[in-house]
Amino acid sequence: MKKPLIAVMLFLSTYANAQDLASKFDFRFGVGTSLLSSGDMKTVMFENELNYFINNFLSTSLSAGYGKSNSGVFETSSFVQGNLNVFISPFKNNNRNDFRIGTGISYMNVSDTYHESANYDNGIMIDEDYIIDKRNTIGMNIVLENTYTLHGKVMLGVKLFTQPYKNGDINSGVLLKLGLKI
């Protein structure tokens, strides 16, 4: 009788710890716009973010983002990035409204395509060449974000960010975010 009782107690304590741990996570999807390469390319951007709340004042996040543009100095430009951030909630995350300031590191892969030359025959273009420039870079994040819990576990927020990179690129923008507390 002692062994089954201990097994049940261990199971319940593990379940309780798992429930407590799960309440510290949320997942957010963001969509918005950014200015890539110091504003040379206006991109449409998407981001997925997983947040972990350490306490009411401190949290961390891991995110992946994608952006693409067909307007600017290049024919097309796209990027994929990964970010790791730490946030401070100076006014305390009261589980209803969370204003936070963050910083962290970012790794970005960028592909730019631009027109190099074209050949014409009797005024009709018969051939054109493009160059694809690919680069990887590391940088830092500076983030201002405000999230409001609408109902139960559903959240809505706005994120402003800038990301200066080591190679001179800058990616700055704004995202509208929809989240779910896990």
Side-chain angles (χ1 to χ4, degrees):
M1 182 68 181
K2 201 177 203 184
K3 286 182 184 179
L5 184 59
I6 291 173
V8 168
M9 289 175 61
L10 284 174
F11 175 75
L12 289 176
S13 68
T14 304
Y15 179 76
N17 286 337
Q19 291 296 322
D20 184 48
L21 185 63
S23 66
K24 293 183 178 248
F25 285 95
D26 71 42
F27 177 78
R28 300 175 191 188
F29 172 75
V31 63
T33 186
S34 74
L35 300 173
L36 179 63
S37 300
S38 303
D40 298 336
M41 299 297 291
K42 298 169 192 80
T43 70
V44 173
M45 185 176 168
F46 302 95
E47 182 181 70
N48 289 317
E49 181 178 53
L50 180 65
N51 289 280
Y52 175 71
F53 294 89
I54 298 168
N55 57 38
N56 288 338
F57 295 97
L58 193 61
S59 61
T60 62
S61 75
L62 180 64
S63 66
Y66 171 77
K68 181 159 178 51
S69 175
N70 293 327
S71 63
V73 296
F74 301 112
E75 292 288 322
T76 64
S77 188
S78 63
F79 67 87
V80 176
Q81 66 179 8
N83 305 296
L84 180 62
N85 294 314
V86 174
F87 291 95
I88 295 173
S89 300
F91 306 115
K92 187 178 179 182
N93 177 3
N94 63 11
N95 292 324
R96 188 75 168 156
N97 189 61
D98 183 21
F99 172 77
R100 59 190 193 166
I101 302 166
T103 188
I105 60 171
S106 180
Y107 179 79
M108 183 168 68
N109 174 281
V110 181
S111 295
D112 296 322
T113 304
Y114 55 93
H115 190 255
E116 181 185 37
S117 65
N119 294 323
Y120 294 89
D121 186 19
N122 293 328
I124 299 172
M125 184 172 49
I126 57 171
D127 182 39
E128 61 184 328
D129 294 320
Y130 290 90
I131 292 179
I132 299 174
D133 177 33
K134 294 182 180 183
R135 61 191 179 279
N136 297 313
T137 187
I138 192 164
M140 70 176 287
N141 297 316
I142 301 168
V143 182
L144 292 175
E145 186 171 1
N146 193 56
T147 305
Y148 186 76
T149 302
L150 297 174
H151 185 335
K153 295 183 174 192
V154 178
M155 301 174 298
L156 187 63
V158 175
K159 176 181 181 177
L160 299 171
F161 65 92
T162 188
Q163 300 166 309
Y165 289 93
K166 190 175 180 179
N167 69 349
D169 282 343
I170 297 175
N171 190 30
S172 301
V174 60
L175 298 173
L176 180 62
K177 299 181 87 174
L178 183 62
L180 184 65
K181 293 180 183 179
I182 301 174

